[in-house]
Amino acid sequence: MADYAVLIPLIFLILNFVAFIVYAADKWKAQRDAWRIPESTLLTVAAIAPWGSLAGMYYFRHKTKKPKFKLVWVFAVIHAAVAALLLVLI
């Protein structure tokens, strides 16, 4: 049980860091008119790691005006609710 107590938050942090980097890479590519990361991929990344995605969106001012990217906030609320539920159950 103690192994999971350290491993799960570590995986969560790594995934969110990767999401932040993915949004940074897409912004960098957008500024250079290079091949872009598809929006479906960005949203999938956001579903897995919404906090890093939100941080990347707002830090780099990327995709914040697009209506479909309001879903990232929904993903973040779902992740927070699941985390709270897991804390209560454990």
Coordinates of all heavy atoms in Angstrom, one line a residue:
M1 N 0.8 -1.2 0.0 CA 0.0 0.0 0.0 C 0.9 1.3 0.0 O 0.6 2.2 -0.7 CB -0.9 0.0 1.2 CG -1.9 1.1 1.3 SD -3.1 1.0 0.0 CE -4.3 2.1 0.5
A2 N 1.9 1.3 0.7 CA 2.8 2.4 0.8 C 3.5 2.7 -0.5 O 3.7 3.9 -0.8 CB 3.9 2.2 1.9
D3 N 3.7 1.7 -1.3 CA 4.3 1.9 -2.6 C 3.4 2.8 -3.5 O 3.9 3.7 -4.2 CB 4.7 0.6 -3.3 CG 5.7 -0.2 -2.6 OD1 6.5 0.5 -1.9 OD2 5.8 -1.4 -2.8
Y4 N 2.1 2.5 -3.5 CA 1.2 3.2 -4.3 C 1.0 4.7 -3.8 O 0.8 5.5 -4.6 CB -0.2 2.5 -4.3 CG -0.2 1.2 -5.0 CD1 -0.4 0.0 -4.3 CD2 0.1 1.1 -6.3 CE1 -0.4 -1.2 -4.9 CE2 0.1 -0.1 -7.0 CZ -0.1 -1.3 -6.2 OH -0.1 -2.5 -6.9
A5 N 1.2 4.9 -2.6 CA 1.1 6.2 -2.0 C 2.1 7.2 -2.6 O 1.9 8.4 -2.7 CB 1.1 6.2 -0.5
V6 N 3.2 6.7 -3.0 CA 4.3 7.5 -3.6 C 4.2 7.4 -5.1 O 4.4 8.4 -5.8 CB 5.7 7.0 -3.1 CG1 6.8 7.8 -3.8 CG2 5.8 7.2 -1.6
L7 N 3.9 6.2 -5.6 CA 4.0 6.0 -7.1 C 2.9 6.8 -7.8 O 3.1 7.4 -8.9 CB 3.9 4.5 -7.4 CG 4.1 4.1 -8.8 CD1 5.5 4.5 -9.2 CD2 4.0 2.6 -8.9
I8 N 1.7 6.7 -7.3 CA 0.5 7.4 -8.0 C 0.7 8.9 -8.2 O 0.6 9.4 -9.3 CB -0.8 7.0 -7.4 CG1 -1.1 5.5 -7.6 CG2 -1.9 7.8 -7.9 CD1 -2.3 4.9 -6.9
P9 N 1.1 9.6 -7.1 CA 1.3 11.0 -7.3 C 2.5 11.3 -8.2 O 2.5 12.3 -9.0 CB 1.6 11.6 -5.9 CG 1.0 10.6 -5.0 CD 1.1 9.2 -5.7
L10 N 3.5 10.5 -8.2 CA 4.7 10.7 -9.0 C 4.3 10.5 -10.5 O 4.6 11.4 -11.3 CB 5.8 9.7 -8.7 CG 7.1 9.8 -9.5 CD1 7.7 11.2 -9.3 CD2 8.0 8.7 -9.1
I11 N 3.5 9.5 -10.8 CA 3.0 9.3 -12.2 C 2.2 10.5 -12.6 O 2.3 11.0 -13.7 CB 2.3 8.0 -12.3 CG1 3.3 6.8 -12.2 CG2 1.5 7.9 -13.6 CD1 2.6 5.5 -12.0
F12 N 1.3 10.9 -11.7 CA 0.4 12.1 -12.0 C 1.2 13.3 -12.3 O 1.0 14.0 -13.3 CB -0.5 12.3 -10.8 CG -1.5 13.4 -11.0 CD1 -2.6 13.2 -11.8 CD2 -1.3 14.6 -10.4 CE1 -3.6 14.2 -12.0 CE2 -2.3 15.7 -10.6 CZ -3.4 15.4 -11.4
L13 N 2.3 13.6 -11.5 CA 3.1 14.7 -11.8 C 3.9 14.6 -13.1 O 4.0 15.6 -13.9 CB 4.2 14.9 -10.7 CG 3.6 15.5 -9.4 CD1 4.7 15.4 -8.3 CD2 3.1 16.9 -9.6
I14 N 4.4 13.4 -13.4 CA 5.1 13.2 -14.7 C 4.2 13.4 -15.9 O 4.5 14.1 -16.9 CB 5.8 11.8 -14.7 CG1 6.9 11.8 -13.7 CG2 6.2 11.5 -16.1 CD1 7.4 10.4 -13.5
L15 N 3.0 12.9 -15.8 CA 2.0 13.0 -16.9 C 1.6 14.5 -17.1 O 1.5 14.9 -18.3 CB 0.7 12.2 -16.6 CG 0.9 10.7 -16.8 CD1 -0.4 10.0 -16.3 CD2 1.3 10.3 -18.2
N16 N 1.4 15.2 -16.0 CA 1.1 16.6 -16.2 C 2.2 17.5 -16.7 O 2.0 18.4 -17.5 CB 0.5 17.2 -14.9 CG -0.9 16.8 -14.7 OD1 -1.8 17.4 -15.3 ND2 -1.2 15.7 -14.0
F17 N 3.4 17.1 -16.3 CA 4.6 17.8 -16.9 C 4.7 17.5 -18.4 O 5.0 18.5 -19.2 CB 5.9 17.3 -16.2 CG 7.1 18.0 -16.7 CD1 7.4 19.3 -16.5 CD2 8.0 17.3 -17.5 CE1 8.5 19.9 -17.0 CE2 9.1 17.9 -18.0 CZ 9.4 19.2 -17.8
V18 N 4.5 16.3 -18.8 CA 4.5 16.0 -20.2 C 3.4 16.7 -21.0 O 3.6 17.3 -22.1 CB 4.4 14.4 -20.5 CG1 4.1 14.1 -21.9 CG2 5.6 13.7 -19.9
A19 N 2.2 16.9 -20.4 CA 1.1 17.6 -21.0 C 1.6 19.1 -21.2 O 1.3 19.7 -22.3 CB -0.1 17.5 -20.2
F20 N 2.2 19.7 -20.2 CA 2.7 21.0 -20.3 C 3.6 21.2 -21.5 O 3.5 22.1 -22.3 CB 3.4 21.4 -19.0 CG 3.8 22.8 -18.9 CD1 3.0 23.9 -18.6 CD2 5.2 23.1 -19.2 CE1 3.4 25.2 -18.5 CE2 5.6 24.4 -19.1 CZ 4.8 25.5 -18.8
I21 N 4.5 20.2 -21.6 CA 5.5 20.2 -22.7 C 4.9 20.1 -24.0 O 5.3 20.7 -25.0 CB 6.6 19.1 -22.5 CG1 7.4 19.4 -21.2 CG2 7.5 19.0 -23.7 CD1 8.1 20.7 -21.1
V22 N 3.8 19.3 -24.1 CA 3.1 19.1 -25.4 C 2.5 20.4 -25.8 O 2.5 20.8 -27.0 CB 2.1 17.9 -25.3 CG1 1.1 17.9 -26.5 CG2 2.7 16.6 -25.1
Y23 N 1.8 21.1 -24.9 CA 1.2 22.4 -25.3 C 2.3 23.4 -25.6 O 2.1 24.2 -26.5 CB 0.3 22.9 -24.1 CG -1.0 22.3 -24.2 CD1 -1.3 21.0 -23.8 CD2 -2.1 23.0 -24.8 CE1 -2.5 20.4 -23.9 CE2 -3.4 22.4 -24.9 CZ -3.6 21.2 -24.5 OH -4.8 20.6 -24.6
A24 N 3.4 23.4 -25.0 CA 4.6 24.3 -25.3 C 5.1 24.0 -26.7 O 5.3 24.9 -27.5 CB 5.7 24.1 -24.3
A25 N 5.2 22.7 -27.0 CA 5.7 22.3 -28.4 C 4.7 22.8 -29.5 O 5.2 23.3 -30.5 CB 5.9 20.8 -28.4
D26 N 3.4 22.6 -29.2 CA 2.5 23.0 -30.2 C 2.5 24.5 -30.4 O 2.4 25.0 -31.6 CB 1.1 22.5 -29.9 CG 0.1 22.7 -31.1 OD1 0.5 22.2 -32.2 OD2 -0.9 23.3 -30.9
K27 N 2.6 25.3 -29.4 CA 2.7 26.7 -29.5 C 4.0 27.1 -30.2 O 3.9 28.0 -31.1 CB 2.7 27.4 -28.1 CG 2.9 28.9 -28.1 CD 1.7 29.6 -28.7 CE 1.9 31.1 -28.6 NZ 0.6 31.8 -28.8
W28 N 5.1 26.5 -29.9 CA 6.3 26.7 -30.6 C 6.2 26.5 -32.1 O 6.6 27.2 -33.0 CB 7.5 25.9 -30.0 CG 8.8 26.1 -30.6 CD1 9.7 27.1 -30.2 CD2 9.5 25.4 -31.6 NE1 10.8 27.0 -30.9 CE2 10.7 26.0 -31.8 CE3 9.1 24.3 -32.4 CZ2 11.7 25.5 -32.7 CZ3 10.1 23.9 -33.3 CH2 11.3 24.5 -33.5
K29 N 5.5 25.3 -32.5 CA 5.3 25.0 -33.9 C 4.4 26.0 -34.5 O 4.6 26.3 -35.7 CB 4.7 23.6 -34.0 CG 5.7 22.5 -33.6 CD 5.1 21.1 -33.7 CE 6.1 20.1 -33.4 NZ 5.7 18.7 -33.8
A30 N 3.4 26.5 -33.8 CA 2.5 27.5 -34.4 C 3.2 28.8 -34.7 O 2.9 29.4 -35.8 CB 1.3 27.7 -33.4
Q31 N 4.1 29.2 -33.9 CA 4.8 30.4 -34.1 C 5.8 30.3 -35.3 O 6.1 31.3 -35.9 CB 5.6 30.8 -32.9 CG 4.7 31.2 -31.7 CD 5.5 31.4 -30.5 OE1 6.6 30.8 -30.2 NE2 5.0 32.3 -29.6
R32 N 6.2 29.1 -35.7 CA 7.1 28.9 -36.8 C 6.4 28.3 -38.0 O 7.1 27.9 -38.9 CB 8.2 28.0 -36.3 CG 9.2 28.7 -35.4 CD 9.9 27.8 -34.4 NE 10.7 28.6 -33.5 CZ 10.3 29.3 -32.5 NH1 9.0 29.3 -32.2 NH2 11.1 30.0 -31.7
D33 N 5.1 28.3 -38.0 CA 4.3 27.7 -39.1 C 4.8 26.3 -39.5 O 4.9 26.0 -40.7 CB 4.4 28.7 -40.3 CG 3.2 28.5 -41.3 OD1 2.2 28.1 -40.8 OD2 3.4 28.8 -42.5
A34 N 5.1 25.5 -38.5 CA 5.5 24.1 -38.7 C 4.3 23.2 -38.6 O 3.2 23.6 -38.3 CB 6.6 23.8 -37.7
W35 N 4.6 21.9 -38.8 CA 3.6 20.9 -38.6 C 3.1 20.9 -37.2 O 3.9 21.0 -36.3 CB 4.2 19.5 -39.0 CG 3.3 18.4 -38.7 CD1 2.3 17.9 -39.5 CD2 3.2 17.6 -37.5 NE1 1.6 16.9 -38.9 CE2 2.1 16.7 -37.6 CE3 3.9 17.6 -36.3 CZ2 1.8 15.8 -36.6 CZ3 3.6 16.7 -35.3 CH2 2.5 15.8 -35.5
R36 N 1.8 20.9 -37.0 CA 1.2 21.0 -35.7 C 0.7 19.7 -35.1 O 0.5 18.8 -35.8 CB 0.0 22.0 -35.8 CG 0.3 23.3 -36.4 CD 0.9 24.2 -35.4 NE 0.1 24.5 -34.3 CZ -0.9 25.3 -34.2 NH1 -1.2 26.0 -35.2 NH2 -1.6 25.4 -33.1
I37 N 0.6 19.7 -33.8 CA 0.0 18.6 -33.1 C -1.6 18.7 -33.3 O -2.1 19.8 -33.0 CB 0.4 18.7 -31.6 CG1 1.9 18.5 -31.5 CG2 -0.4 17.6 -30.8 CD1 2.4 18.8 -30.1
P38 N -2.2 17.7 -33.7 CA -3.7 17.7 -33.9 C -4.4 18.1 -32.6 O -4.0 17.7 -31.5 CB -4.1 16.3 -34.4 CG -2.8 15.7 -34.9 CD -1.7 16.4 -34.1
E39 N -5.5 18.9 -32.8 CA -6.3 19.3 -31.7 C -6.9 18.0 -30.9 O -7.0 18.1 -29.7 CB -7.4 20.2 -32.1 CG -7.0 21.6 -32.5 CD -8.1 22.5 -32.8 OE1 -9.3 22.1 -32.9 OE2 -7.8 23.7 -32.8
S40 N -7.2 17.0 -31.6 CA -7.7 15.8 -31.0 C -6.6 15.2 -30.0 O -6.9 14.7 -29.0 CB -8.1 14.7 -32.0 OG -7.0 14.4 -32.8
T41 N -5.4 15.3 -30.5 CA -4.3 14.8 -29.6 C -4.1 15.7 -28.4 O -4.0 15.2 -27.3 CB -3.0 14.7 -30.4 OG1 -3.1 13.9 -31.5 CG2 -1.8 14.3 -29.5
L42 N -4.2 17.0 -28.6 CA -4.1 17.9 -27.4 C -5.2 17.7 -26.4 O -5.0 17.7 -25.2 CB -4.1 19.4 -27.9 CG -2.9 19.8 -28.7 CD1 -3.2 21.2 -29.3 CD2 -1.7 19.8 -27.9
L43 N -6.5 17.4 -26.9 CA -7.6 17.2 -26.0 C -7.4 15.8 -25.3 O -7.8 15.7 -24.2 CB -8.9 17.2 -26.8 CG -9.3 18.7 -27.1 CD1 -10.5 18.7 -28.1 CD2 -9.7 19.5 -25.9
T44 N -6.9 14.8 -26.0 CA -6.6 13.5 -25.4 C -5.6 13.7 -24.3 O -5.8 13.1 -23.2 CB -6.2 12.5 -26.4 OG1 -7.2 12.4 -27.4 CG2 -5.9 11.1 -25.8
V45 N -4.6 14.4 -24.5 CA -3.6 14.7 -23.5 C -4.2 15.4 -22.3 O -4.0 15.1 -21.2 CB -2.4 15.5 -24.1 CG1 -1.5 16.1 -23.0 CG2 -1.6 14.7 -25.1
A46 N -5.1 16.3 -22.6 CA -5.8 17.1 -21.6 C -6.7 16.2 -20.8 O -6.9 16.4 -19.5 CB -6.6 18.2 -22.2
A47 N -7.3 15.2 -21.4 CA -8.2 14.3 -20.6 C -7.4 13.4 -19.7 O -7.8 13.1 -18.6 CB -8.9 13.4 -21.6
I48 N -6.1 13.1 -20.0 CA -5.3 12.3 -19.2 C -4.6 13.1 -18.1 O -4.4 12.7 -17.0 CB -4.2 11.6 -20.0 CG1 -4.9 10.6 -21.0 CG2 -3.2 10.9 -19.2 CD1 -4.0 10.1 -22.1
A49 N -4.2 14.3 -18.5 CA -3.4 15.2 -17.6 C -3.9 16.7 -17.7 O -3.3 17.5 -18.3 CB -1.9 15.1 -17.9
P50 N -5.1 17.0 -17.1 CA -5.7 18.3 -17.3 C -4.9 19.4 -16.7 O -4.9 20.6 -17.2 CB -7.1 18.1 -16.8 CG -6.9 17.1 -15.8 CD -5.9 16.1 -16.3
W51 N -4.3 19.2 -15.5 CA -3.6 20.3 -14.8 C -2.4 20.8 -15.6 O -2.2 22.0 -15.7 CB -3.3 19.9 -13.4 CG -4.5 19.5 -12.7 CD1 -4.9 18.3 -12.3 CD2 -5.6 20.4 -12.3 NE1 -6.2 18.3 -11.7 CE2 -6.6 19.6 -11.7 CE3 -5.8 21.8 -12.4 CZ2 -7.8 20.1 -11.2 CZ3 -7.0 22.3 -11.9 CH2 -8.0 21.5 -11.3
G52 N -1.6 19.9 -16.2 CA -0.5 20.3 -17.0 C -1.0 21.0 -18.3 O -0.3 21.9 -18.7
S53 N -2.1 20.5 -18.8 CA -2.6 21.1 -20.0 C -3.1 22.5 -19.8 O -2.8 23.4 -20.6 CB -3.8 20.2 -20.6 OG -3.3 18.9 -20.9
L54 N -3.8 22.7 -18.7 CA -4.3 24.0 -18.3 C -3.1 25.0 -18.1 O -3.1 26.1 -18.6 CB -5.2 24.0 -17.1 CG -6.6 23.6 -17.2 CD1 -7.3 23.4 -15.9 CD2 -7.4 24.6 -18.1
A55 N -2.1 24.5 -17.4 CA -0.9 25.3 -17.1 C -0.3 25.7 -18.5 O 0.1 26.9 -18.7 CB 0.1 24.6 -16.3
G56 N -0.1 24.8 -19.4 CA 0.5 25.0 -20.7 C -0.4 26.0 -21.5 O 0.1 26.9 -22.2
M57 N -1.7 25.8 -21.5 CA -2.6 26.7 -22.2 C -2.5 28.1 -21.8 O -2.3 29.0 -22.6 CB -4.0 26.2 -22.1 CG -4.4 25.0 -22.9 SD -6.1 24.4 -22.5 CE -7.1 25.8 -22.8
Y58 N -2.5 28.3 -20.5 CA -2.5 29.7 -20.0 C -1.1 30.3 -19.9 O -0.9 31.5 -20.2 CB -3.3 29.8 -18.7 CG -4.7 29.7 -19.0 CD1 -5.4 28.5 -18.9 CD2 -5.5 30.8 -19.4 CE1 -6.7 28.3 -19.2 CE2 -6.8 30.7 -19.7 CZ -7.4 29.4 -19.6 OH -8.8 29.3 -19.9
Y59 N -0.1 29.5 -19.7 CA 1.3 30.0 -19.6 C 1.7 30.5 -21.0 O 2.3 31.5 -21.2 CB 2.2 29.0 -19.1 CG 3.6 29.5 -18.9 CD1 4.0 30.3 -17.8 CD2 4.6 29.2 -19.8 CE1 5.3 30.8 -17.7 CE2 5.9 29.7 -19.7 CZ 6.2 30.5 -18.6 OH 7.5 31.0 -18.5
F60 N 1.4 29.7 -22.0 CA 1.8 30.0 -23.4 C 0.8 30.7 -24.2 O 1.0 31.0 -25.4 CB 2.2 28.7 -24.1 CG 3.4 28.0 -23.5 CD1 3.2 26.8 -22.8 CD2 4.7 28.5 -23.5 CE1 4.3 26.2 -22.2 CE2 5.7 27.9 -22.8 CZ 5.5 26.7 -22.2
R61 N -0.4 31.0 -23.6 CA -1.5 31.6 -24.2 C -1.9 30.9 -25.5 O -1.9 31.5 -26.6 CB -1.2 33.1 -24.5 CG -1.0 33.9 -23.2 CD -0.8 35.3 -23.6 NE -0.4 36.0 -22.3 CZ 0.3 37.1 -22.3 NH1 0.5 37.8 -23.4 NH2 0.6 37.7 -21.2
H62 N -2.1 29.6 -25.4 CA -2.4 28.7 -26.5 C -3.7 28.0 -26.4 O -3.9 27.3 -25.4 CB -1.2 27.8 -26.6 CG -1.2 27.0 -27.9 ND1 -1.2 27.5 -29.1 CD2 -1.1 25.6 -28.1 CE1 -1.1 26.6 -30.0 NE2 -1.1 25.4 -29.4
K63 N -4.5 28.2 -27.4 CA -5.8 27.5 -27.4 C -6.8 27.9 -26.4 O -7.8 27.3 -26.2 CB -5.7 26.0 -27.3 CG -4.8 25.3 -28.4 CD -5.4 25.3 -29.7 CE -4.6 24.5 -30.7 NZ -5.1 24.6 -32.1
T64 N -6.6 29.1 -25.8 CA -7.5 29.5 -24.7 C -8.8 30.1 -25.2 O -9.8 30.2 -24.5 CB -6.8 30.6 -23.8 OG1 -6.3 31.7 -24.6 CG2 -5.6 30.0 -23.1
K65 N -8.8 30.5 -26.5 CA -10.0 31.1 -27.1 C -10.9 30.1 -27.8 O -12.0 30.4 -28.1 CB -9.6 32.2 -28.0 CG -8.7 33.3 -27.4 CD -9.6 34.5 -27.0 CE -8.7 35.7 -26.7 NZ -8.8 36.1 -25.3
K66 N -10.4 28.9 -28.0 CA -11.1 28.0 -28.8 C -12.2 27.3 -27.9 O -11.8 26.8 -26.8 CB -10.2 26.9 -29.4 CG -9.3 27.4 -30.5 CD -9.1 26.3 -31.4 CE -8.6 26.9 -32.7 NZ -8.9 26.1 -33.8
P67 N -13.4 27.3 -28.3 CA -14.5 26.8 -27.5 C -14.3 25.3 -27.0 O -14.6 25.0 -25.9 CB -15.8 27.0 -28.3 CG -15.4 28.1 -29.3 CD -14.0 28.0 -29.5
K68 N -13.9 24.5 -27.9 CA -13.7 23.1 -27.6 C -12.7 22.9 -26.5 O -12.7 21.9 -25.8 CB -13.5 22.2 -28.8 CG -12.1 22.3 -29.4 CD -11.9 21.3 -30.5 CE -12.2 21.8 -31.8 NZ -11.8 20.9 -32.9
F69 N -11.8 23.8 -26.3 CA -10.8 23.6 -25.3 C -11.3 24.1 -23.9 O -10.6 23.9 -22.9 CB -9.5 24.4 -25.6 CG -8.7 23.6 -26.6 CD1 -8.9 23.6 -28.0 CD2 -7.7 22.7 -26.2 CE1 -8.2 22.9 -28.9 CE2 -7.0 21.9 -27.1 CZ -7.2 22.0 -28.4
K70 N -12.5 24.5 -23.8 CA -13.2 24.7 -22.5 C -13.3 23.3 -21.8 O -13.5 23.2 -20.6 CB -14.5 25.4 -22.6 CG -14.4 26.7 -23.3 CD -13.8 27.7 -22.4 CE -13.8 29.1 -23.0 NZ -12.7 29.9 -22.7
L71 N -13.3 22.2 -22.6 CA -13.4 20.9 -22.1 C -12.2 20.6 -21.1 O -12.4 19.7 -20.3 CB -13.3 19.9 -23.3 CG -14.6 19.5 -24.0 CD1 -14.3 18.6 -25.2 CD2 -15.6 18.9 -23.0
V72 N -11.1 21.2 -21.3 CA -10.0 21.0 -20.4 C -10.4 21.3 -19.0 O -10.0 20.6 -18.0 CB -8.7 21.8 -20.9 CG1 -7.6 21.5 -19.9 CG2 -8.4 21.4 -22.3
W73 N -11.2 22.3 -18.8 CA -11.7 22.6 -17.4 C -12.6 21.5 -16.9 O -12.5 21.2 -15.7 CB -12.4 24.0 -17.4 CG -11.5 25.1 -17.4 CD1 -11.2 25.9 -18.5 CD2 -10.7 25.6 -16.4 NE1 -10.3 26.9 -18.2 CE2 -10.0 26.7 -16.9 CE3 -10.6 25.3 -15.0 CZ2 -9.1 27.4 -16.0 CZ3 -9.7 26.0 -14.2 CH2 -9.0 27.1 -14.7
V74 N -13.4 21.0 -17.8 CA -14.3 19.9 -17.4 C -13.4 18.7 -17.0 O -13.7 18.0 -15.9 CB -15.2 19.5 -18.5 CG1 -16.0 18.2 -18.2 CG2 -16.1 20.6 -18.9
F75 N -12.4 18.4 -17.7 CA -11.5 17.3 -17.4 C -10.8 17.5 -16.0 O -10.7 16.6 -15.2 CB -10.4 17.1 -18.4 CG -10.9 16.7 -19.8 CD1 -10.2 17.2 -20.9 CD2 -12.0 16.0 -20.0 CE1 -10.6 16.8 -22.2 CE2 -12.5 15.6 -21.3 CZ -11.8 16.1 -22.4
A76 N -10.4 18.8 -15.8 CA -9.8 19.1 -14.5 C -10.8 18.9 -13.3 O -10.4 18.3 -12.3 CB -9.3 20.5 -14.5
V77 N -12.0 19.3 -13.5 CA -13.0 19.1 -12.4 C -13.2 17.6 -12.2 O -13.3 17.1 -11.0 CB -14.3 19.8 -12.8 CG1 -15.5 19.4 -11.9 CG2 -14.1 21.3 -12.8
I78 N -13.3 16.8 -13.3 CA -13.5 15.4 -13.1 C -12.3 14.8 -12.4 O -12.5 13.9 -11.5 CB -13.7 14.7 -14.5 CG1 -15.1 15.1 -15.1 CG2 -13.6 13.2 -14.4 CD1 -15.3 14.7 -16.5
H79 N -11.1 15.2 -12.7 CA -9.9 14.6 -12.1 C -9.9 15.0 -10.6 O -9.6 14.2 -9.7 CB -8.6 15.2 -12.7 CG -8.2 14.3 -13.9 ND1 -7.0 13.6 -13.8 CD2 -8.7 14.1 -15.1 CE1 -6.9 12.9 -15.0 NE2 -7.9 13.2 -15.7
A80 N -10.3 16.2 -10.3 CA -10.4 16.7 -8.9 C -11.4 15.9 -8.1 O -11.2 15.5 -7.0 CB -10.7 18.2 -8.8
A81 N -12.6 15.6 -8.7 CA -13.6 14.9 -8.1 C -13.2 13.4 -7.8 O -13.4 12.9 -6.7 CB -14.9 14.9 -8.9
V82 N -12.5 12.8 -8.8 CA -12.0 11.4 -8.6 C -11.0 11.4 -7.5 O -11.0 10.5 -6.7 CB -11.5 10.9 -10.0 CG1 -10.8 9.6 -9.8 CG2 -12.7 10.7 -10.9
A83 N -10.1 12.4 -7.5 CA -9.0 12.4 -6.5 C -9.7 12.5 -5.1 O -9.3 11.9 -4.1 CB -8.1 13.5 -6.8
A84 N -10.7 13.4 -5.0 CA -11.3 13.6 -3.7 C -12.0 12.3 -3.3 O -12.0 11.9 -2.1 CB -12.3 14.7 -3.8
L85 N -12.7 11.6 -4.2 CA -13.4 10.4 -3.9 C -12.4 9.3 -3.5 O -12.6 8.6 -2.5 CB -14.1 9.9 -5.1 CG -14.9 8.6 -5.0 CD1 -16.0 8.8 -4.0 CD2 -15.5 8.2 -6.3
L86 N -11.2 9.2 -4.1 CA -10.2 8.3 -3.8 C -9.6 8.6 -2.4 O -9.4 7.6 -1.6 CB -9.1 8.2 -4.8 CG -9.4 7.6 -6.1 CD1 -8.3 7.8 -7.1 CD2 -9.8 6.1 -6.0
L87 N -9.5 9.8 -2.0 CA -9.0 10.2 -0.7 C -10.0 9.8 0.4 O -9.6 9.4 1.5 CB -8.7 11.7 -0.6 CG -7.4 12.1 -1.3 CD1 -7.3 13.7 -1.3 CD2 -6.2 11.5 -0.7
V88 N -11.3 9.9 0.1 CA -12.3 9.5 1.0 C -12.3 8.0 1.2 O -12.5 7.5 2.3 CB -13.7 10.1 0.6 CG1 -14.8 9.5 1.4 CG2 -13.7 11.6 0.7
L89 N -12.2 7.3 0.1 CA -12.3 5.8 0.2 C -11.0 5.2 0.8 O -11.1 4.1 1.3 CB -12.5 5.3 -1.2 CG -13.9 5.6 -1.8 CD1 -14.0 5.1 -3.3 CD2 -15.0 5.1 -1.0
I90 N -9.9 5.8 0.7 CA -8.7 5.2 1.2 C -8.5 5.5 2.6 O -8.7 5.8 3.5 CB -7.4 5.7 0.4 CG1 -7.5 5.2 -1.0 CG2 -6.2 5.3 1.0 CD1 -6.4 5.7 -1.9

